[in-house]
């Protein structure tokens, strides 16, 4: 973490945002008549959130995790992420309704990568996108269905979920983006 | 040697530019390769067994020495990364080193190949190509002479880690023709670098290099003693052509002295695993019962070989820009 970051939200505030998200997801699933969705968290922050949401919603199907390292569009520029984990979708995604969870929606590139990866597992019926934070700066036509928070940020500011225990949101300013830590939010 | 190997293979930030030998890479890089391979293991089980990482890249398998398993798994690994693959089997007799090798290289570079996977009967062939290839081109050593076979060693390390979870505290025995084995040389470097407690080599005197102990191993000439209480047994292939060189009396006698049987396997740790880089000579290096038995992980090695090669190919292709920048500076 850079030294120029400052706390933006503590655990309690983040947890209440997660409660709000869970309620919105519940409503949306009911509206669409979806009973057994597969929840999938995007590594790393999205998995922390998905674990809590999964528990809170009492979903029956096991939680899935995605590591989008192999689907990044900046691989040829910055190379392989040295901390990659296997993705794990525990049940077939064919004809399944999916709730995709991530921490911060920014450029939309992570979600683009995640959607491509999911479709390499099969053809889901639908995908709902739930993010804790939806911030300005979209570079692709991707929009969330469920959002916890819409913060007002300067373009050079970045917001990051830290965790998993305790969870918190911090805000920092981009100074020198080292090639190995370039964020793809 | 070690220093230049590090310089040729790693950039200042410790990223993998080429993968030529285990020597000089260090525990951190070896662990990064294993971790990256772990990420790729799931790809083979999906509906679409491909990731788009190396789309648009061209990988040339440059095999001056024949091989089925290694070439096939490299080909499959590159294809699962969405790269295009050229397989070039160039028989050693058709080329002599030096000019001809460079000419081959220049021709392939003109086709905008991004990576060479090189197997050659001569030690140092992959190094030579890495030093002379266009800077954008990454080179992976798929076996050179008696020198190194680093991807085989890494898939072996991956297999061990999958079964034993930690290297520290392990006792590993490598059995067979150490003298002619590039696999053994790479394995010994990797095992010691990853911190296993004890590496043993078990072989007749005629199949051991004179300086065996300087490799950092304990030497055994008696099979029963050599594999007693070990956690991992790696059997090497006995190359039949060695029989003619009067290094060994007969296959039968070799088997009776160094063959792995159920009786001998019982001397190892009760949780021991049995490995072999293939192809197995049944009844020479080991009994069929052992090869097909519950402790054998030989076929897993082949599967893991794909994940390891995906890891190394993608890591090296991922530093292509760094290699190019190096030229500009």
């Amino acid at each position: 973490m850079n030294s120029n970051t400052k706390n933006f939200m503590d655990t309690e505030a983040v947890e209440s945002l997660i409660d709000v998200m869970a309620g919105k997801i519940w409503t949306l699933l009911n509206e669409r008549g979806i009973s057994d969705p597969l929840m999938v968290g995007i590594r790393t922050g999205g998995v922390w959130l998905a674990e809590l949401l999964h528990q809170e919603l009492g979903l029956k199907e096991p939680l899935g995790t995605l590591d989008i390292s192999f689907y990044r569009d900046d691989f040829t520029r910055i190379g392989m992420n040295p901390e990659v984990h296997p993705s794990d979708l525990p049940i077939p995604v064919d004809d399944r309704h999916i709730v995709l969870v991530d921490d911060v929606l920014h450029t939309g590139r992570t979600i683009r990568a995640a959607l491509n990866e999911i479709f390499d597992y099969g053809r889901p019926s639908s995908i709902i996108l739930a993010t804790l934070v939806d911030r300005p700066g979209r570079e692709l036509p991707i929009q969330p269905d469920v959002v916890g928070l819409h913060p007002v940020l300067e373009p050079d500011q970045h917001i990051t979920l830290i965790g998993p225990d305790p969870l918190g949101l911090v805000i920092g300013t981009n100074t020198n983006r080292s090639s190995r830590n370039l964020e793809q939010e | 040697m070690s220093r230049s190997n590090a310089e040729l293979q790693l950039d200042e930030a410790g990223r993998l530019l080429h993968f030529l030998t285990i020597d000089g890479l260090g525990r951190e890089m070896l662990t990064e390769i294993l971790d990256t391979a772990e990420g790729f293991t799931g790809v083979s089980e999906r509906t679409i067994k491909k990731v788009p990482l190396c789309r648009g890249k061209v990988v040339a398998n440059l095999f001056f020495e024949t091989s089925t398993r290694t070439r096939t798994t490299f080909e499959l690994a590159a294809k699962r990364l969405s790269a295009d693959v050229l397989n070039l089997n160039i028989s050693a007799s058709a080329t002599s080193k030096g000019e001809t090798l460079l000419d081959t290289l220049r021709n392939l570079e003109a086709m905008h190949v991004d990576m060479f996977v090189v197997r050659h009967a001569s030690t140092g062939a992959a190094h030579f190509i890495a030093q002379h290839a266009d800077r954008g081109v990454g080179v992976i050593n798929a076996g050179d002479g008696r020198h190194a076979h680093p991807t085989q060693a890494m898939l072996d390390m991956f297999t061990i880690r999958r079964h034993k979870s930690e290297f520290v505290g392990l006792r590993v025995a490598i059995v067979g023709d150490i003298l002619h084995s590039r696999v053994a040389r790479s394995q010994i470097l990797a095992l010691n670098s990853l911190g296993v407690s004890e590496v043993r080599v078990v072989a007749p005197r005629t199949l051991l290099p004179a300086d065996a102990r300087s490799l950092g191993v304990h030497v055994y000439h008696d099979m029963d003693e050599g594999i007693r209480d070990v956690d991992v047994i790696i059997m090497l292939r006995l190359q039949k052509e060695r029989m003619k060189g009067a290094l060994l009396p007969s296959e039968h006698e070799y088997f009776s002295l160094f063959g792995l049987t159920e009786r001998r396997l019982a001397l190892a740790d009760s949780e021991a695993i049995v490995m072999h880089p293939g192809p197995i000579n049944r009844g020479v290096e080991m009994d069929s019962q052992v090869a097909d038995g519950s402790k054998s992980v030989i076929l897993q090695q082949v599967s893991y070989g794909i994940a390891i090669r995906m890891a190394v190919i993608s890591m090296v292709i991922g530093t292509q820009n760094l290699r190019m920048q190096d030229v500009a500076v």
Side-chain angles (χ1 to χ4, degrees), chain A residues 46-167:
Chain A
V47 175
W48 303 335
L49 297 170
E51 279 167 356
L52 295 171
L53 289 167
H54 187 268
Q55 199 176 8
E56 198 158 331
L57 290 165
L59 299 179
K60 278 193 298 184
E61 302 295 357
L63 183 67
T65 59
L66 279 187
D67 185 318
I68 56 105
S69 298
F70 302 145
Y71 289 78
R72 291 177 70 118
D73 59 14
D74 53 4
F75 167 72
T76 53
R77 286 197 287 157
I78 67 167
M80 178 61 92
N81 170 12
E83 286 172 23
V84 59
H85 293 83
S87 293
D88 174 31
L89 298 189
I91 56 169
V93 304
D94 283 310
D95 302 320
R96 177 73 54 176
H97 295 281
I98 290 176
V99 181
L100 184 61
V101 181
D102 202 9
D103 47 6
V104 179
L105 178 58
H106 181 195
T107 62
R109 290 176 191 271
T110 296
I111 304 304
R112 195 280 310 169
L115 294 175
N116 282 14
E117 178 158 11
I118 289 170
F119 277 80
D120 280 352
Y121 280 86
R123 182 182 184 276
S125 279
S126 72
I127 299 178
I128 289 169
L129 176 59
T131 66
L132 181 69
V133 174
D134 175 12
R135 63 156 294 172
R138 206 79 80 246
E139 294 169 2
L140 298 173
I142 281 170
Q143 67 195 23
D145 299 290
V146 169
V147 174
L149 181 73
H150 295 273
V152 179
L153 294 170
E154 299 298 325
D156 64 344
Q157 285 187 309
H158 58 84
I159 184 164
T160 312
L161 180 69
I162 54 167
D165 193 21
L167 288 173

Side-chain angles (χ1 to χ4, degrees), chain B residues 33 85 92 115 127-128 150 167 184 192 249-250 255 259:
Chain B
I33 292 170
V85 182
M115 170 175 281
H127 283 70
F128 177 83
F167 290 99
N192 280 327
S250 73
F255 181 72

